Amino acid sequence: MQIFINPDRSEWDSITKRPVMNTQDLVGKVQPILAAVKQRGDDALKDYSRQFDGVELDEIIVSANEIDAAESLLHAELKSAIRQAAKNICSFHEEQLSPQKRIETMPGVFCWRKSVGIEKVGIYIPGGTAPLFSTVLMLAIPAKIAGCKEIILCTPPQKDGSVHPAILFAAKITGVNKITKVGGAQAIAALCYGTTSVSKVFKIFGPGNQYVTAAKQLVQQEGVAIDMPAGPSEVCVLADETSKPGFVAADLLSQAEHGADSQVLLVATSLSIVQNIQAELELQLAKLPRKELASKSLKNSRVVVFNDISNAIELVNLYAAEHLIISMENASAISDHITSAGSIFLGNFSPESVGDYASGTNHTLPTNGYAAMYSGVSVDSFVKKITVQELTREGLHNISKTVIHMAEAEGLQAHANAVRVRMVNA
Amino acid sequence: MQIFINPDRSEWDSITKRPVMNTQDLVGKVQPILAAVKQRGDDALKDYSRQFDGVELDEIIVSANEIDAAESLLHAELKSAIRQAAKNICSFHEEQLSPQKRIETMPGVFCWRKSVGIEKVGIYIPGGTAPLFSTVLMLAIPAKIAGCKEIILCTPPQKDGSVHPAILFAAKITGVNKITKVGGAQAIAALCYGTTSVSKVFKIFGPGNQYVTAAKQLVQQEGVAIDMPAGPSEVCVLADETSKPGFVAADLLSQAEHGADSQVLLVATSLSIVQNIQAELELQLAKLPRKELASKSLKNSRVVVFNDISNAIELVNLYAAEHLIISMENASAISDHITSAGSIFLGNFSPESVGDYASGTNHTLPTNGYAAMYSGVSVDSFVKKITVQELTREGLHNISKTVIHMAEAEGLQAHANAVRVRMVNA
């Protein structure tokens, strides 16, 4: 890890900078995939499955039998863990449905908002080394609470043409309507244009590799919404002399094991705690099955040590981490000064992994500094809030002069007329 | 207006379709503007002002003197109209600040969300024939309520180098921090990259012509957020035999006068009411100062007549109008079935123009069918909702098995370790 001690403010931008991805190359590779799926639908999807997943698919849609069989393939304790996590995620997200009350802004002028679930949504779940069934929970549960009518899940098939049973189980208990064996940029294309097997949706959610990310950006220009721009996962830990080095080291490693491009930033107000954390890192790293990935990621990581906490907080806000762990005794007081982060973990007993899986908060969070302007996924991400207004005759009378003066000053006579005609003829 | 009577479902897509804009040409024109502003900052902005606005600017930032002078240039009744509208918009939007309560998802596992205003936001206000001071209210008021620290307004200068006094007045009373004389794609570039006069912001809001729209789409790929994709303004009116033809005609015209590309759709369950509305349209159109714009827009507009209300509702939901006026006696009951619209106006005394200016709801709404998945601007658009969690030692104990089983099933050993290390060493 690269250490910076009391870095000058002129260095802060480069310290908090994320690696830049070359997206231009990706666009060139992804665009033909989008075009092929748009043109040839399911046939194109099957061709890509042969090419990228090494699988010959007869059926793209997962059958009811496959879904039912999945349940019996899982250990009872994993199923009960998934059920417990789902319960907690439900409890937290249900509270986010907040119908705005009817407000009388002037006598007789009533305004409110109603929330309606986005009718059709798509969820992308990557394949690869780890079957991300936890992400199924994080996306399907808020979708269901929001009232989305159709939830379509796309995930690449495994080498034997099946989908990992934990993904099927999580999809079943959360009420996903259709599961399809499609991965990569072609899945995003299918959700955007629709094919015989994959329904066209209004908004696409979920993580993915750089091709999936590029495809999501491209389809946005075709009128589909996406959850948020994506980048590699990252954690920032804020530590001082009250931190427990072994805990901090474990948190840094849990981020680093995600992959070589994972970002880890440690900000501390004590050099000696940093040295203790580094010693712990070496001990724990040696025992990890994914130690190669993790140690690559750690090499690119940074440690910043400040004499005073106010600089530390400022740098942390500038970084705008996806996950921010405040491993300090006064974590709660410090957290009041945090203005940019995806999710904050307070104190010694709140490791990032509880939020990744089961505490109830969502793990789909803004990366790459986007926490400066984006929120993580929530029920809000799955609803439209439609404003509604209803005026009584008297209400329109009360507001009429205001509207007429403003409309005429903007040169919009017909806007004024729409009020006048009602005052005269009512 | 083109009339469709009980159209077959196969025609619905084409009836509800919006005109497609050729964005590829625009990108070619806008990209060099973005590059010039990125490279040459204020100098480029002044060059473009000379070229596009016909103005030689010494100062890009509007001075305090100019702002103070604006107040004295406005009629007292316009100022009081603007103040009344601001008050109503405040009342409605203040209710949208909803801190989520602290939830104990399991014993000892506490999760909540905190809202933080996006630190720096940019507001674009178009110039042209109508000075859109109402949009200043609609964007600056929620920004202020959200707690945004810096609100930067960009608007093109008039021919004499000034900004319309109503825009300055609206900006002053809503607490805009800086007003700059910059218009078009170059304003969006300045807000994205920052120049000496225009601050770099995290999110850009506001309407604009096709160049502004294209620029907003392009800067999104540079890490700036935007309010929503934009298109021409539109209204849909749902009418039956209980509608008042004069009111409906006035509403259709108030949309049509926005410009030749404005969209107007009338959906009715009675042919005779449509005939009466058409007669009223001709009468009212003849008296309008902007009748040429309005009649062009009406020519492209559509009327759909159905025998039954359920088809009418379904078509309206498919269209997903920016503004939906339900001009019917049982408007409220009908509105329960509306699932896609930007803003809904109920009954005979709720013309669109009250929402455009002063009822309190926001007039920055999804167009072009985007109401299927986007909401209009609200306080939500100006905040980040950061999730926070805090576990007690016991809370971590209660959730530990769930997290460990899931992490190990996803192959993420270090995630499990972050929990284990705390259970052992606490």
Side-chain angles (χ1 to χ4, degrees):
Chain A
M1 294 172 94
Q2 213 185 334
I3 298 203
F4 301 83
I5 298 181
N6 289 314
D8 189 74
R9 209 161 278 252
S10 62
E11 291 179 75
W12 289 19
D13 274 344
S14 75
I15 292 173
T16 55
K17 201 171 174 154
R18 273 74 162 185
V20 178
M21 285 190 293
N22 183 351
T23 52
Q24 221 37 51
D25 275 10
L26 290 172
V27 169
K29 284 178 188 156
V30 166
Q31 221 131 29
I33 298 179
L34 301 188
V37 174
K38 187 174 183 179
Q39 231 172 17
R40 302 194 299 115
D42 276 3
D43 285 345
L45 297 181
K46 287 179 183 175
D47 287 350
Y48 288 124
S49 254
R50 204 176 297 121
Q51 189 182 335
F52 296 132
D53 310 317
V55 177
E56 190 74 44
L57 288 180
D58 291 327
E59 262 302 331
I60 290 171
I61 302 173
V62 175
S63 70
N65 283 346
E66 288 176 275
I67 297 170
D68 290 337
E71 198 162 343
S72 61
L73 294 172
L74 295 179
H75 282 295
E77 51 192 15
L78 179 58
K79 282 187 280 190
S80 91
I82 292 175
R83 282 207 178 89
Q84 178 65 55
K87 193 167 162 281
N88 293 355
I89 296 165
C90 255
S91 307
F92 184 64
H93 286 76
E94 266 168 0
E95 275 293 318
Q96 292 165 4
L97 262 192
S98 53
Q100 189 180 338
K101 66 173 196 245
R102 202 171 143 104
I103 295 164
E104 193 168 3
T105 56
M106 279 178 95
V109 179
F110 298 91
C111 304
W112 65 98
R113 292 199 291 180
K114 72 166 186 172
S115 286
V116 181
I118 297 172
E119 197 185 341
K120 295 176 190 184
V121 296
I123 294 180
Y124 183 75
I125 303 294
T129 50
L132 294 184
F133 56 84
S134 60
T135 306
V136 180
L137 305 181
M138 294 293 176
L139 297 174
I141 291 172
K144 207 75 193 171
I145 292 171
C148 300
K149 296 251 169 63
E150 243 187 278
I151 307 172
I152 317 294
L153 190 153
C154 289
T155 190
Q158 304 181 101
K159 287 269 171 277
D160 64 356
S162 72
V163 170
H164 192 285
I167 291 179
L168 297 182
F169 178 70
K172 184 184 177 182
I173 65 166
T174 52
V176 167
N177 301 85
K178 193 197 271 184
I179 309 168
T180 58
K181 299 172 184 174
V182 194
Q186 60 272 27
I188 306 305
L191 291 167
C192 169
Y193 304 116
T195 71
T196 307
S197 299
V198 183
S199 322
K200 178 178 161 67
V201 301
F202 293 120
K203 192 169 182 178
I204 301 173
F205 294 80
N209 62 21
Q210 50 187 354
Y211 299 101
V212 170
T213 301
K216 281 171 70 183
Q217 274 186 347
L218 286 170
V219 296
Q220 242 191 315
Q221 284 152 41
E222 314 250 339
V224 178
I226 64 168
D227 46 0
M228 69 186 91
S233 190
E234 54 197 32
V235 74
C236 174
V237 178
L238 192 51
D240 66 5
E241 64 288 343
T242 66
S243 306
K244 311 249 181 202
F247 298 2
V248 175
D251 290 336
L252 295 176
L253 286 171
S254 77
Q255 188 57 51
E257 77 171 340
H258 273 300
D261 59 355
S262 262
Q263 297 289 306
V264 169
L265 175 68
L266 171 61
V267 181
T269 54
S270 149
L271 186 57
S272 70
I273 202 85
V274 167
Q275 286 159 343
N276 294 340
I277 292 167
Q278 283 180 313
E280 273 286 341
L281 270 175
E282 281 178 39
L283 285 175
Q284 294 185 24
L285 183 60
K287 296 181 215 150
L288 277 187
R290 291 165 77 110
K291 65 183 157 208
E292 274 179 49
L293 277 180
S295 76
K296 256 194 206 162
S297 157
L298 282 182
K299 273 205 190 90
N300 300 322
S301 297
R302 290 154 187 172
V303 185
V304 187
V305 183
F306 284 112
N307 286 342
D308 61 306
I309 184 70
S310 66
N311 275 325
I313 289 171
E314 227 179 293
L315 185 96
V316 163
N317 281 328
L318 182 67
Y319 184 68
E322 182 190 14
H323 307 98
L324 171 64
I325 305 177
I326 308 181
S327 278
M328 296 159 85
E329 243 165 37
N330 60 343
S332 182
I334 296 293
S335 126
D336 290 342
H337 301 283
I338 299 302
T339 54
S340 279
S343 193
I344 304 177
F345 299 78
L346 297 183
N348 280 326
F349 297 105
S350 311
E352 186 201 310
S353 46
V354 302
D356 287 342
Y357 290 109
S359 62
T361 60
N362 208 290
H363 80 196
T364 309
L365 296 166
T367 53
N368 208 23
Y370 284 115
M373 61 289 223
Y374 287 93
S375 310
V377 162
S378 70
V379 172
D380 303 344
S381 316
F382 292 91
V383 299
K384 307 160 288 182
K385 292 189 179 174
I386 304 177
T387 51
V388 192
Q389 51 207 290
E390 184 166 32
L391 281 72
T392 61
R393 197 200 178 294
E394 210 199 331
L396 185 61
H397 176 80
N398 292 337
I399 208 171
S400 59
K401 274 195 188 153
T402 296
V403 175
I404 290 169
H405 287 311
M406 290 177 76
E408 290 184 342
E410 286 194 353
L412 297 173
Q413 198 61 48
H415 281 63
N417 278 359
V419 174
R420 279 211 184 91
V421 72
R422 285 166 162 94
M423 298 316 299
V424 176
N425 298 316
Chain B
M1 293 172 94
Q2 215 185 334
I3 299 202
F4 302 85
I5 298 181
N6 289 314
D8 188 74
R9 210 163 277 253
S10 63
E11 290 180 74
W12 289 20
D13 274 342
S14 76
I15 292 174
T16 55
K17 203 174 171 152
R18 274 73 163 185
V20 178
M21 284 190 291
N22 182 351
T23 52
Q24 221 37 51
D25 275 10
L26 289 172
V27 168
K29 283 180 188 154
V30 166
Q31 221 132 28
I33 298 179
L34 301 187
V37 174
K38 187 175 184 180
Q39 230 174 17
R40 301 195 298 115
D42 276 4
D43 286 345
L45 297 181
K46 287 179 183 177
D47 287 350
Y48 287 123
S49 253
R50 205 176 297 121
Q51 190 182 336
F52 296 132
D53 310 317
V55 178
E56 189 75 44
L57 288 179
D58 291 327
E59 262 302 331
I60 290 171
I61 302 173
V62 175
S63 70
N65 283 345
E66 287 176 274
I67 297 170
D68 291 338
E71 198 162 344
S72 61
L73 295 172
L74 295 179
H75 282 295
E77 51 192 15
L78 180 57
K79 281 187 282 190
S80 89
I82 293 175
R83 284 207 177 90
Q84 179 66 55
K87 193 167 160 280
N88 293 355
I89 296 164
C90 254
S91 307
F92 184 64
H93 286 76
E94 267 168 0
E95 276 292 319
Q96 293 166 4
L97 263 190
S98 54
Q100 190 181 340
K101 66 174 196 239
R102 200 172 145 106
I103 295 163
E104 194 169 4
T105 56
M106 281 178 95
V109 179
F110 298 92
C111 305
W112 65 98
R113 292 200 292 180
K114 72 168 186 172
S115 286
V116 180
I118 297 173
E119 197 186 340
K120 296 176 189 184
V121 296
I123 293 179
Y124 183 75
I125 303 293
T129 49
L132 294 184
F133 55 85
S134 59
T135 305
V136 179
L137 305 181
M138 295 292 177
L139 296 175
I141 291 172
K144 208 72 194 174
I145 292 171
C148 300
K149 296 252 168 65
E150 244 185 276
I151 307 172
I152 317 295
L153 190 153
C154 289
T155 191
Q158 302 182 104
K159 286 269 173 278
D160 65 356
S162 72
V163 171
H164 193 285
I167 290 178
L168 297 181
F169 178 70
K172 184 184 176 182
I173 65 166
T174 51
V176 167
N177 300 87
K178 195 198 270 183
I179 309 167
T180 57
K181 298 172 184 173
V182 195
Q186 59 273 25
I188 305 305
L191 291 168
C192 169
Y193 304 116
T195 71
T196 308
S197 298
V198 183
S199 323
K200 177 179 163 64
V201 301
F202 294 118
K203 192 167 181 178
I204 301 172
F205 294 79
N209 61 21
Q210 49 186 354
Y211 299 100
V212 169
T213 301
K216 280 172 71 184
Q217 274 187 347
L218 286 171
V219 297
Q220 243 191 315
Q221 284 153 42
E222 313 250 337
V224 178
I226 65 168
D227 45 1
M228 71 186 87
S233 191
E234 54 196 33
V235 74
C236 174
V237 178
L238 192 52
D240 67 5
E241 64 288 344
T242 67
S243 307
K244 312 249 179 202
F247 298 2
V248 175
D251 290 336
L252 296 175
L253 287 171
S254 78
Q255 188 57 51
E257 76 171 341
H258 273 300
D261 59 356
S262 263
Q263 297 289 306
V264 169
L265 176 68
L266 172 61
V267 181
T269 53
S270 149
L271 186 58
S272 70
I273 202 83
V274 167
Q275 287 158 344
N276 295 340
I277 291 167
Q278 283 180 314
E280 273 287 340
L281 269 176
E282 280 179 38
L283 285 176
Q284 294 185 22
L285 182 60
K287 296 180 214 152
L288 276 187
R290 291 165 78 111
K291 66 184 155 205
E292 275 179 49
L293 278 180
S295 76
K296 257 195 206 159
S297 156
L298 282 183
K299 272 205 191 89
N300 300 323
S301 297
R302 290 152 188 173
V303 184
V304 188
V305 182
F306 285 111
N307 287 341
D308 62 306
I309 185 69
S310 66
N311 275 325
I313 289 171
E314 226 180 294
L315 185 95
V316 163
N317 281 328
L318 182 67
Y319 184 67
E322 181 190 14
H323 307 98
L324 171 64
I325 305 177
I326 308 182
S327 280
M328 297 160 84
E329 243 166 38
N330 60 343
S332 182
I334 296 292
S335 123
D336 290 341
H337 302 283
I338 299 302
T339 54
S340 279
S343 193
I344 304 176
F345 299 79
L346 297 183
N348 281 326
F349 297 105
S350 311
E352 185 201 312
S353 46
V354 303
D356 287 343
Y357 290 109
S359 62
T361 60
N362 208 290
H363 78 196
T364 309
L365 296 167
T367 53
N368 207 25
Y370 285 115
M373 61 289 225
Y374 287 93
S375 310
V377 162
S378 70
V379 172
D380 303 344
S381 317
F382 292 92
V383 298
K384 305 160 292 183
K385 292 187 179 176
I386 304 176
T387 51
V388 191
Q389 53 205 290
E390 184 166 30
L391 281 73
T392 60
R393 196 197 179 298
E394 209 199 332
L396 185 61
H397 176 80
N398 292 336
I399 207 171
S400 59
K401 273 193 188 153
T402 296
V403 175
I404 289 169
H405 285 311
M406 291 177 75
E408 289 182 344
E410 286 193 355
L412 297 172
Q413 198 60 51
H415 281 62
N417 278 358
V419 174
R420 280 211 183 89
V421 72
R422 284 166 163 95
M423 297 317 298
V424 176
N425 298 315

PDB file of all heavy atoms in Angstrom, chain A residues 411-414 417, chain B residues 257 285-293:
ATOM      1  N   GLY A 411     -44.969  35.478 -21.687  1.00  0.00           N
ATOM      2  CA  GLY A 411     -45.444  35.565 -23.070  1.00  0.00           C
ATOM      3  C   GLY A 411     -46.324  34.395 -23.473  1.00  0.00           C
ATOM      4  O   GLY A 411     -46.453  34.090 -24.658  1.00  0.00           O
ATOM      5  N   LEU A 412     -46.931  33.716 -22.505  1.00  0.00           N
ATOM      6  CA  LEU A 412     -47.741  32.538 -22.825  1.00  0.00           C
ATOM      7  C   LEU A 412     -49.218  32.812 -22.548  1.00  0.00           C
ATOM      8  O   LEU A 412     -49.768  32.474 -21.501  1.00  0.00           O
ATOM      9  CB  LEU A 412     -47.234  31.325 -22.031  1.00  0.00           C
ATOM     10  CG  LEU A 412     -45.793  30.897 -22.366  1.00  0.00           C
ATOM     11  CD1 LEU A 412     -45.293  29.815 -21.421  1.00  0.00           C
ATOM     12  CD2 LEU A 412     -45.676  30.417 -23.817  1.00  0.00           C
ATOM     13  N   GLN A 413     -49.866  33.437 -23.527  1.00  0.00           N
ATOM     14  CA  GLN A 413     -51.233  33.898 -23.381  1.00  0.00           C
ATOM     15  C   GLN A 413     -52.235  32.761 -23.194  1.00  0.00           C
ATOM     16  O   GLN A 413     -53.164  32.865 -22.405  1.00  0.00           O
ATOM     17  CB  GLN A 413     -51.601  34.716 -24.639  1.00  0.00           C
ATOM     18  CG  GLN A 413     -52.792  35.592 -24.465  1.00  0.00           C
ATOM     19  CD  GLN A 413     -52.596  36.630 -23.364  1.00  0.00           C
ATOM     20  OE1 GLN A 413     -51.566  37.297 -23.325  1.00  0.00           O
ATOM     21  NE2 GLN A 413     -53.549  36.757 -22.467  1.00  0.00           N
ATOM     22  N   ALA A 414     -52.012  31.672 -23.913  1.00  0.00           N
ATOM     23  CA  ALA A 414     -52.962  30.557 -23.817  1.00  0.00           C
ATOM     24  C   ALA A 414     -52.933  29.925 -22.429  1.00  0.00           C
ATOM     25  O   ALA A 414     -53.936  29.387 -21.960  1.00  0.00           O
ATOM     26  CB  ALA A 414     -52.654  29.503 -24.893  1.00  0.00           C
ATOM     27  N   ASN A 417     -55.156  32.060 -20.535  1.00  0.00           N
ATOM     28  CA  ASN A 417     -56.540  31.803 -20.969  1.00  0.00           C
ATOM     29  C   ASN A 417     -57.148  30.570 -20.315  1.00  0.00           C
ATOM     30  O   ASN A 417     -58.356  30.545 -20.042  1.00  0.00           O
ATOM     31  CB  ASN A 417     -56.590  31.571 -22.488  1.00  0.00           C
ATOM     32  CG  ASN A 417     -56.598  32.878 -23.243  1.00  0.00           C
ATOM     33  OD1 ASN A 417     -56.579  33.964 -22.633  1.00  0.00           O
ATOM     34  ND2 ASN A 417     -56.600  32.795 -24.568  1.00  0.00           N
TER      35      ASN A 417
ATOM     36  N   GLU B 257     -49.172  26.202 -27.664  1.00  0.00           N
ATOM     37  CA  GLU B 257     -48.473  27.468 -27.901  1.00  0.00           C
ATOM     38  C   GLU B 257     -46.978  27.397 -27.530  1.00  0.00           C
ATOM     39  O   GLU B 257     -46.220  28.301 -27.853  1.00  0.00           O
ATOM     40  CB  GLU B 257     -49.137  28.626 -27.144  1.00  0.00           C
ATOM     41  CG  GLU B 257     -48.852  28.667 -25.658  1.00  0.00           C
ATOM     42  CD  GLU B 257     -49.352  29.957 -24.977  1.00  0.00           C
ATOM     43  OE1 GLU B 257     -49.591  30.968 -25.657  1.00  0.00           O
ATOM     44  OE2 GLU B 257     -49.509  29.926 -23.738  1.00  0.00           O
ATOM     45  N   LEU B 285     -58.374  29.741 -30.814  1.00  0.00           N
ATOM     46  CA  LEU B 285     -57.098  29.854 -31.542  1.00  0.00           C
ATOM     47  C   LEU B 285     -56.994  31.204 -32.241  1.00  0.00           C
ATOM     48  O   LEU B 285     -55.944  31.854 -32.253  1.00  0.00           O
ATOM     49  CB  LEU B 285     -57.001  28.711 -32.565  1.00  0.00           C
ATOM     50  CG  LEU B 285     -55.716  28.617 -33.392  1.00  0.00           C
ATOM     51  CD1 LEU B 285     -54.501  28.425 -32.495  1.00  0.00           C
ATOM     52  CD2 LEU B 285     -55.796  27.459 -34.387  1.00  0.00           C
ATOM     53  N   ALA B 286     -58.093  31.634 -32.823  1.00  0.00           N
ATOM     54  CA  ALA B 286     -58.101  32.867 -33.619  1.00  0.00           C
ATOM     55  C   ALA B 286     -57.641  34.079 -32.803  1.00  0.00           C
ATOM     56  O   ALA B 286     -57.070  35.021 -33.342  1.00  0.00           O
ATOM     57  CB  ALA B 286     -59.501  33.106 -34.182  1.00  0.00           C
ATOM     58  N   LYS B 287     -57.865  34.019 -31.487  1.00  0.00           N
ATOM     59  CA  LYS B 287     -57.541  35.176 -30.648  1.00  0.00           C
ATOM     60  C   LYS B 287     -56.134  35.138 -30.046  1.00  0.00           C
ATOM     61  O   LYS B 287     -55.757  36.054 -29.324  1.00  0.00           O
ATOM     62  CB  LYS B 287     -58.560  35.256 -29.492  1.00  0.00           C
ATOM     63  CG  LYS B 287     -59.982  35.517 -29.934  1.00  0.00           C
ATOM     64  CD  LYS B 287     -60.895  35.574 -28.704  1.00  0.00           C
ATOM     65  CE  LYS B 287     -62.276  35.018 -29.028  1.00  0.00           C
ATOM     66  NZ  LYS B 287     -62.948  34.445 -27.861  1.00  0.00           N
ATOM     67  N   LEU B 288     -55.379  34.061 -30.304  1.00  0.00           N
ATOM     68  CA  LEU B 288     -54.084  33.909 -29.625  1.00  0.00           C
ATOM     69  C   LEU B 288     -52.957  34.645 -30.331  1.00  0.00           C
ATOM     70  O   LEU B 288     -52.812  34.547 -31.554  1.00  0.00           O
ATOM     71  CB  LEU B 288     -53.694  32.430 -29.575  1.00  0.00           C
ATOM     72  CG  LEU B 288     -54.266  31.581 -28.459  1.00  0.00           C
ATOM     73  CD1 LEU B 288     -53.603  30.207 -28.508  1.00  0.00           C
ATOM     74  CD2 LEU B 288     -54.038  32.225 -27.106  1.00  0.00           C
ATOM     75  N   PRO B 289     -52.100  35.362 -29.582  1.00  0.00           N
ATOM     76  CA  PRO B 289     -50.932  35.993 -30.214  1.00  0.00           C
ATOM     77  C   PRO B 289     -49.979  34.962 -30.819  1.00  0.00           C
ATOM     78  O   PRO B 289     -49.365  35.230 -31.850  1.00  0.00           O
ATOM     79  CB  PRO B 289     -50.278  36.763 -29.069  1.00  0.00           C
ATOM     80  CG  PRO B 289     -50.938  36.336 -27.800  1.00  0.00           C
ATOM     81  CD  PRO B 289     -52.231  35.699 -28.166  1.00  0.00           C
ATOM     82  N   ARG B 290     -49.838  33.797 -30.192  1.00  0.00           N
ATOM     83  CA  ARG B 290     -48.912  32.801 -30.733  1.00  0.00           C
ATOM     84  C   ARG B 290     -49.671  31.780 -31.581  1.00  0.00           C
ATOM     85  O   ARG B 290     -49.335  30.597 -31.600  1.00  0.00           O
ATOM     86  CB  ARG B 290     -48.176  32.090 -29.593  1.00  0.00           C
ATOM     87  CG  ARG B 290     -47.189  32.997 -28.863  1.00  0.00           C
ATOM     88  CD  ARG B 290     -46.742  32.408 -27.537  1.00  0.00           C
ATOM     89  NE  ARG B 290     -45.742  31.370 -27.676  1.00  0.00           N
ATOM     90  CZ  ARG B 290     -44.478  31.490 -27.294  1.00  0.00           C
ATOM     91  NH1 ARG B 290     -44.025  32.596 -26.757  1.00  0.00           N
ATOM     92  NH2 ARG B 290     -43.649  30.496 -27.443  1.00  0.00           N
ATOM     93  N   LYS B 291     -50.695  32.243 -32.334  1.00  0.00           N
ATOM     94  CA  LYS B 291     -51.572  31.277 -33.004  1.00  0.00           C
ATOM     95  C   LYS B 291     -50.859  30.465 -34.089  1.00  0.00           C
ATOM     96  O   LYS B 291     -51.249  29.341 -34.377  1.00  0.00           O
ATOM     97  CB  LYS B 291     -52.838  31.941 -33.561  1.00  0.00           C
ATOM     98  CG  LYS B 291     -52.622  32.926 -34.664  1.00  0.00           C
ATOM     99  CD  LYS B 291     -53.951  33.571 -35.059  1.00  0.00           C
ATOM    100  CE  LYS B 291     -53.688  34.937 -35.680  1.00  0.00           C
ATOM    101  NZ  LYS B 291     -54.795  35.857 -35.562  1.00  0.00           N
ATOM    102  N   GLU B 292     -49.803  31.050 -34.675  1.00  0.00           N
ATOM    103  CA  GLU B 292     -49.125  30.286 -35.729  1.00  0.00           C
ATOM    104  C   GLU B 292     -48.409  29.060 -35.174  1.00  0.00           C
ATOM    105  O   GLU B 292     -48.538  27.959 -35.707  1.00  0.00           O
ATOM    106  CB  GLU B 292     -48.134  31.172 -36.475  1.00  0.00           C
ATOM    107  CG  GLU B 292     -48.824  31.941 -37.586  1.00  0.00           C
ATOM    108  CD  GLU B 292     -47.852  32.844 -38.326  1.00  0.00           C
ATOM    109  OE1 GLU B 292     -46.778  32.352 -38.717  1.00  0.00           O
ATOM    110  OE2 GLU B 292     -48.178  34.040 -38.484  1.00  0.00           O
ATOM    111  N   LEU B 293     -47.647  29.286 -34.093  1.00  0.00           N
ATOM    112  CA  LEU B 293     -47.001  28.151 -33.417  1.00  0.00           C
ATOM    113  C   LEU B 293     -48.041  27.115 -33.016  1.00  0.00           C
ATOM    114  O   LEU B 293     -47.893  25.919 -33.265  1.00  0.00           O
ATOM    115  CB  LEU B 293     -46.310  28.620 -32.132  1.00  0.00           C
ATOM    116  CG  LEU B 293     -44.922  29.243 -32.215  1.00  0.00           C
ATOM    117  CD1 LEU B 293     -44.440  29.629 -30.829  1.00  0.00           C
ATOM    118  CD2 LEU B 293     -43.961  28.265 -32.881  1.00  0.00           C
TER     119      LEU B 293
END
